[in-house]
Each structure stands twice: as C-alpha cells, then as structure tokens.
Amino acid sequence: MRHFGHISPTVRKDLFHQEPAEFSLSSPTRTLAAALGATLYSPATRPQLAADIRKQAARGVVSMVLCLEDSISDSDVLGGEENLVRQFAALDADPAGTAGLPLLFIRVRTPEQIPDLVRRLGGPVRHLAGFVLPKFTESRGTAFLDAVADAEAASGLPRLYAMPVLETPDLLHLETRVETLAGISRTVNRYRERVLALRLGVTDFCSVYGLRRTPDMTAYDVQIVAGVIADVVNVLSRADGTGFTVTGPVWEYFRSQQRLFKPQLRRSPFLAEGVEELRTALIEHDLDGLLREIELDRANGLLGKTCIHPAHVTPVHALSVVSHEEFSDAQDILRPERGGGGVMRSAYTNKMNEVKPHRAWAERTMLRAEVFGVAKEEVGFVDLLTAGLQV
C-alpha cells in the first residue's frame, strides 16, 4: 500500500516531486510508525465491516482500528468479537484478494482477549497488524504486552504490533504525572521492537475535569491537555534514538454547528479559481479547526492522528505531505559534506539552516517524505486535498 495510492498515477505525477513509497506490514517498524497517517476507528460491531474496510481503503485509508472498547457498550463485547471473526473470514475469502488492505488493529479491553481473538480468527489472523491497548500504565501494560507476544508466538505470525493508548487520570494529574510517565517509559522500552506507536486519549483527559473542546478550539487551546501532551513528547518522543512515534489526538467533530468564532482557515491558499468552494465546504464541516490542529500536532512533535470519521482522513494526509521547501532544507542539512556543522542560507533564501541543531528535524522530515511524498514546488495542500477528495 502507499499514501495517495487511491488516486491515479497521472494525478500523482502532477502533484509529487517525490511520490510516496510503498510499504507493507513487513516494512521496518520505524517506517510503519511514520506511515500510520490518519488511523480510522470503527466499532467492531458494524455488520458490514469487511465491506467498510475495503471502501475506506479505496478512499485512501491505510490504517484502521476495530474497536471493542469505548466505542461499543459492555453488552456488545461478545457480539463484537464474534463479528470480528466473521468479518476477517470475509476479507480472507473475498475474490478481490487482500492486496491493499489497510493495516488493521483491534482495540481490546483486557489482556485475555488478545490470545483468545488470535486463536478464534484462525488463518485470517494474518491480516491483523496488532492490538491497541487501552488505559496504558506500567501496572497494566506489562500484561497487555506479554499477551501480544504470546499470541504472536502461538499464531506463528512474524509480528504483532502494539499501540498503547495514554489516557488515564494519573497521567493527567500533576502529582502523579512524572512517575506515571517514568513507568510507561520503562514498560514500552522493555518491548521496544513491539511498540509501533503511542496514542493519546485526549477525550479521556478532558473527561477527568468535565471539559469538552468546541469545534473552534484545538486540543492545544485546552491548557491542561496541552501540558500533558508536551510532557508525553518530552519523555517518550525524544529525537535521540530513544523516542517513539506519538500520534495526534482525535478530532471529534464532523457536523456543522453554529460558530462562536470566525473561521480560522485562511483565504490565501484558496484564492485560485474554483477552490474557494473547497474552503467553504471545509468550514461548513468544521474542518478548519482540524486543519489547524494537524499543524499544531506536527509543531509539537506528533505524527499521524486518531480519526473517527472518514472525512478527516484526506486532510490529515494532505497536511502530512512534505513541502518542496521542507525537502530542500532537509536535503541541504543532511548533505555528507555538512557533517562538521555550520550555517547556510536556505535554497529558498528565506531562512538560515543550522546543520547540527536542525539535523534531527531534517531526519524526521526525510522519513515523512519517504512515506507521504514530497509535493512539487508549485503544489500546496489545497491541491492535495482536492485530489484526495475527488476520488
């Protein structure tokens, strides 16, 4: 699979200076973590789940979570498990084949569900990328991660990944945050090769204080949430080789509501003929706040995003593409002859690139360029949005 693989090769050629690379479940962990993109959540109880997965793959989704936890009621868990077994069998038996299926993860409630589900899925378990582990702490996490390792060994699969979700009150509360983060760090480091990415449960964070952000506000406007995001990145996503990919929080709005503030989506990128309508459509569906949050996610060290609505996927991916300017800067910084450091004016003549301080940024940018591609010099996110949304 590849990002923007759902649009035609001709259109991709017009959009990309460097096209997104193909990747699969056998790709290096670092590549897969960067490639997750907009991870679309779906309740495991959906009766046509296999068809839904194929439909979303055709629209550009490359990772999905099939949820047995908060998205369904307690009374539906057993039915959800049975449905997953049926739907994986349907995917496996489909004459269309399984090429191009998204990376599929199951969000469980307890460690015991993991080996049980792997056993019940049977042969079609080969289409499973791993498990999402809720309310992850040091005390809970070891049992979950051991269960994933045991299930992998029993199934004979080459790899089952884990994605812990950081969402518990002791991570939010100031008096317990430092030790909680230290414990999470100890746990995920013991299972480093198994942990694909860490996910943030911002809705759960807000619930601890009875908060809910409006569609005009990002997670970073809620200061108590912004503080814990910063601390998670500080401890768990360092650029010194010890860090993990941390994904952006969910954007929970997808219907138009009465606005309290002016739209945040600038007009300037939309001034070309015919694209003002796209700006209007994005504003009407409360996606201008999403676009702002995606930019803030990346500025704060997060990559990818949890999504609960298909309309959010293309904006996340469009804003994950590396601009030609970013690519040019990263290339200059990483040139072998620059190994000794120094400062140079950027090729775009609008900034200074410092080789040593900017090296980690450049390396991350080149990884993002590998999986999301590099836009042509004249191509902006509006062009990428338009191409993705027209499919």
Side-chain angles (χ1 to χ4, degrees), residues 270-285 386:
F270 295 87
L271 293 180
E273 183 178 355
V275 295
E276 172 66 21
E277 293 150 0
L278 176 59
R279 176 181 182 270
T280 301
L282 292 171
I283 290 171
E284 286 176 350
H285 290 83
T386 304

Side-chain angles (χ1 to χ4, degrees), residues 148-169:
V148 175
D150 292 344
E152 176 189 287
S155 67
L157 292 171
R159 174 65 72 196
L160 277 175
Y161 283 109
M163 291 199 290
V165 185
L166 312 185
E167 55 187 343
T168 54

Side-chain angles (χ1 to χ4, degrees), residues 15-47:
L15 292 173
F16 288 99
H17 169 77
Q18 174 184 301
E19 290 195 24
E22 293 186 351
F23 60 92
S24 69
L25 193 51
S26 61
S27 296
T29 302
R30 185 167 178 262
T31 300
L32 279 183
L36 287 168
T39 301
L40 184 63
Y41 275 54
S42 176
T45 52
R46 290 181 67 88

